[in-house]
Amino acid sequence: MPTRDTSAEVGTPDVQTGEKSIATIATLRVGVKLYVYHDNSREHRLAEILSIQTRKGTPHYYVHYEEFNKRLDEWVPPTRLDLTKETVGDVGTPEDEEADEDSAETDPKATAARAASAKQSGTSGTPETFSKEHEIEKLRTSGSMTQSAHEISRVRNLSKLQIGKYEVEPWYFSPYPVEYTEEEMVFICEFCLSYFGEERRFQRHRTKCTLMHPPGNEIYRDSAVSFFEIDGRRQRTWCRNLCLLSKCFLDHKTLYYDVDPFLFYIMTTRDEYGCHMIGYFSKEKESAEGYNVACILTLPQYQRHGYGKLLIAFSYELSKREGKLGSPEKPLSDLGLLGYRAYWQDTIVDLLLNNKGLETTIDELASMSAMTTQDVIHTLQNLNMLRYFKGQHVICLTDAILSQKQKQVEKQKIKGKRTLDPELIQWKPPVFTAANRTWNW
Ligand code: ACO
Ligand code: ZN
C-alpha cells in the first residue's frame, strides 16, 4: 500500500510514494523505480534504487530488478538509467541533491522515509535512528536476519572473495565486520575460514595455519569426496565463519550466530594440499519440525556439477539411519527448490523403475527414500504421476517422464554421474543431552 510520507526530514512533502513522474539525475532517490539497462539480457528492466554512492564525482546506483532474484542486484552508472520513461516512487526535488554529495553508501534520509512509511503501514519496527555500524553489529550478534527489512542488508557489502584458488563474487549481504566492506578483495583461509582484508596478513596466516581439512570427524570417503561432521558447539568459531561465508550466497535464510544447536556436514575434494570444501549442509541436533537439513550450499565455483544432489542424498542417508523421514527447512530458496525437485524426481523415478512395475504405495516410497509422504505426494503431483482410478490413487510412470529419464541417462553416459555409496558412510546418530545442544555458560 502506498503511504503518504509526512516525515519532515524528507524534503518532498508533496510527493507520494508510488506516484509516477519523470525523473532527472538530480531528483533520483533511494526507493525510486525506473528502467535500467541490464547488460546480460540486453534490455531495460524496471528496477528500484536501493542505494546511491558518489564515486569520483559521479553518482552510482545500487539497483534491484523487479521480479528478479536479488543475486542480480548491482551498481550501475547513470548511463545505464533510462530517464525518458516515467518513474515510480519518491522522486525528490533538485534542492535535496546537496545533502547527497557526501557519498553516503546508504541514503540515511531515504532510510528515515522508509522507516516512517513502514511505521505508518504497520509493517515493521524499523529503528528511528540509523547507524550502519550499529545495524551490522546487531545483525552479527542477534541471531535471525531473515528477510531483514533494514536498508543495510539489502545492499551487497563485499566485492570479491578469494577462497583457495578461486575468486568468487558474493551474491548477497553478509554481516562481516564493517571494515571489510571497503576492501576490493576479502581473503578467506579455505581451511579455517578466517577472513583477511589485507593480502600480506592473509599470507602470513597461511604460513602458520596448520588445518588441512574441516575440524571434525571424516564420516565418509570415496574416490572423489569426503564428508566431515562438525559440532557447532565444539567448533564455534569455525562454524560461525562458515555461516558468515555461506550468508554471501543465501539470501532468505536465518544466520544463526548461535551455532551450538547445529551439526554441520561438510563435503570436500581431496588433493595433496588437503580437503577443500565444496559445500555443506547444517542440521539441527533436534528438529521439532522433523527437518533433516537447515541450510544447504554448494559454493558457486562448484555449482551445477551434481554436488548439490550428493549433499541432498547424504542428508537423506542420515535420516534413513535415524529411522526417520525428513525434509529441508522451509522456505527454500529458488535454487534450493530446483535442486530438491530434481533430487526428489530422480529418487522416486528410480525407485519405481527398480520396482519393475510392481505396485507401490506412497508410504512405501517414503520409507524407502526417507522423504516425507508430503514431499512424495507433491513430487508425484508435480510430475502428473498420481492418478485417481476406481476410487484409489494409482502411481504411474508417464511417457514424458520415461523419455526425460532416457535423456538424462544419455547425458550421464557422457558427463558421468556423481553417486553416493551408502555403504561407505561411517556414522551413527549422535546422542545429545540438553546441555550439549546449546550454549554452555
Ligand atoms: N538453474 C536451473 N536448474 C538448476 C540450477 C540453476 N541455476 N541449479 C540447480 N538446478 C537444478 C537442476 O535440475 C540440476 O540438475 P542438472 O544440472 O542435472 O540439470 C539440479 O538442480 C541439481 O544440481 P546440482 O549440480 O546437483 O546442484 P548444485 O551443486 O548446483 O547445488 C544448490 C544446488 C545447493 C541449491 C546451489 O544452487 C546453492 O548452493 N545455491 C545457493 C544457496 C541456496 O540457495 N541453498 C538452498 C537454500 S534452501 C535451504 O537451505 C533448505
Ligand atoms: Zn587458516
Side-chain angles (χ1 to χ4, degrees):
M1 273 285 286
T3 43
R4 190 177 172 83
D5 191 353
T6 52
S7 162
E9 277 180 71
V10 179
T12 55
D14 46 271
V15 178
Q16 284 186 13
T17 307
E19 189 173 89
K20 287 191 178 181
S21 53
I22 300 279
T24 65
I25 289 291
T27 61
L28 289 179
R29 287 285 173 277
V30 168
V32 166
K33 290 182 187 171
L34 75 174
Y35 282 84
V36 177
Y37 188 74
H38 182 253
D39 263 345
N40 272 355
S41 61
R42 296 191 188 159
E43 61 181 19
H44 284 87
R45 291 178 179 171
L46 187 62
E48 179 182 352
I49 297 178
L50 299 184
S51 182
I52 304 176
Q53 202 177 70
T54 306
R55 298 180 189 168
K56 293 183 183 154
T58 310
H60 280 66
Y61 303 88
Y62 193 77
V63 296
H64 168 70
Y65 298 99
E66 291 244 306
E67 291 174 27
F68 287 88
N69 191 285
K70 262 171 77 177
R71 273 194 298 284
L72 305 181
D73 293 4
E74 59 180 340
W75 286 101
V76 299
T79 47
R80 297 259 300 271
L81 309 179
D82 180 357
L83 297 170
T84 63
K85 290 210 180 74
E86 279 188 330
T87 54
V88 190
D90 184 7
V91 180
T93 53
E95 302 85 75
D96 294 341
E97 174 67 358
E98 319 272 287
D100 263 358
E101 293 277 286
D102 52 13
S103 79
E105 188 174 304
T106 303
D107 183 348
K109 283 203 302 183
T111 307
R114 264 165 198 277
S117 94
K119 254 199 229 140
Q120 283 178 7
S121 55
T123 46
S124 76
T126 319
E128 271 160 67
T129 50
F130 182 82
S131 142
K132 207 166 84 180
E133 285 73 17
H134 174 72
E135 235 7 70
I136 292 191
E137 206 39 42
K138 238 174 46 196
L139 290 170
R140 273 171 64 73
T141 53
S142 71
S144 169
M145 54 173 302
T146 305
Q147 318 226 318
S148 169
H150 306 311
E151 190 81 32
I152 189 69
S153 65
R154 299 184 73 191
V155 179
R156 193 186 303 129
N157 55 334
L158 301 185
S159 314
K160 237 185 219 173
L161 304 175
Q162 185 188 295
I163 317 169
K165 59 181 176 187
Y166 299 98
E167 280 183 13
V168 183
E169 277 185 28
W171 296 351
Y172 307 114
F173 172 88
S174 179
Y176 279 93
V178 67
E179 56 272 24
Y180 289 80
T181 63
E182 322 234 303
E183 304 291 348
E184 260 170 49
M185 178 84 81
V186 172
F187 301 86
I188 313 262
C189 173
E190 60 167 331
F191 297 112
C192 72
L193 307 182
S194 306
Y195 40 90
F196 302 86
E198 249 180 71
E199 186 161 17
R200 236 168 10 102
R201 281 195 52 230
F202 167 66
Q203 296 298 358
R204 199 163 352 120
H205 166 82
R206 285 300 307 141
T207 61
K208 285 188 287 186
C209 182
T210 52
L211 214 56
M212 287 178 76
H213 57 75
N217 291 331
E218 190 179 13
I219 56 171
Y220 178 91
R221 179 191 283 229
D222 65 21
S223 59
V225 303
S226 285
F227 273 86
F228 291 82
E229 181 182 55
I230 292 159
D231 184 336
R233 183 168 166 272
R234 293 206 199 164
Q235 298 292 344
R236 230 170 246 160
T237 305
W238 195 91
C239 294
R240 281 180 189 160
N241 285 345
L242 176 65
C243 289
L244 272 178
L245 175 60
S246 65
K247 179 64 195 70
C248 292
F249 310 104
L250 277 159
D251 176 39
H252 68 302
K253 268 294 175 64
T254 313
L255 178 108
Y256 286 104
Y257 191 69
D258 179 6
V259 291
D260 288 25
F262 294 87
L263 289 165
F264 294 80
Y265 294 91
I266 320 297
M267 182 167 64
T268 65
T269 61
R270 293 182 311 273
D271 65 17
E272 68 263 43
Y273 302 108
C275 293
H276 311 271
M277 179 160 72
I278 299 169
Y280 83 100
F281 64 87
S282 56
K283 174 172 176 158
E284 273 175 290
K285 291 174 181 171
E286 207 155 289
S287 166
E289 296 89 348
Y291 294 138
N292 63 355
V293 163
C295 283
I296 186 164
L297 169 80
T298 303
L299 287 169
Q301 64 269 35
Y302 293 105
Q303 285 176 10
R304 287 317 288 271
H305 287 94
Y307 288 119
K309 274 188 195 163
L310 223 52
L311 283 166
I312 297 173
F314 200 86
S315 73
Y316 280 106
E317 284 304 324
L318 298 188
S319 292
K320 285 180 199 170
R321 286 179 193 222
E322 292 172 325
K324 290 181 184 164
L325 307 181
S327 187
E329 189 178 307
K330 312 298 176 303
L332 295 174
S333 66
D334 55 346
L335 292 174
L337 187 61
L338 286 170
Y340 267 97
R341 278 208 180 135
Y343 173 84
W344 289 334
Q345 170 171 349
D346 274 8
T347 304
I348 286 183
V349 170
D350 284 350
L351 283 173
L352 292 173
L353 287 173
N354 291 341
N355 215 31
K356 304 205 171 60
L358 294 176
E359 249 182 53
T360 323
T361 65
I362 288 165
D363 284 334
E364 280 168 346
L365 287 174
S367 83
M368 284 188 283
S369 62
M371 285 168 59
T372 59
T373 49
Q374 200 187 18
D375 289 340
V376 173
I377 292 169
H378 281 162
T379 307
L380 292 171
Q381 279 171 341
N382 261 339
L383 299 174
N384 203 18
M385 280 165 58
L386 206 53
R387 300 285 160 80
Y388 206 60
F389 186 69
K390 291 190 181 159
Q392 276 201 328
H393 279 300
V394 188
I395 301 164
C396 52
L397 280 163
T398 62
D399 289 345
I401 294 293
L402 289 173
S403 80
Q404 203 181 333
K405 177 78 196 170
Q406 190 57 35
K407 278 195 201 124
Q408 193 190 33
V409 170
E410 301 291 325
K411 209 167 91 187
Q412 283 165 353
K413 269 190 205 152
I414 303 163
K415 275 177 66 180
K417 187 188 177 195
R418 287 185 201 287
T419 51
L420 195 73
D421 182 354
E423 307 247 299
L424 298 178
I425 300 179
Q426 305 225 331
W427 185 80
K428 271 207 220 100
V431 184
F432 294 100
T433 62
N436 272 348
R437 273 195 296 273
T438 182
W439 293 99
N440 182 27
W441 292 114

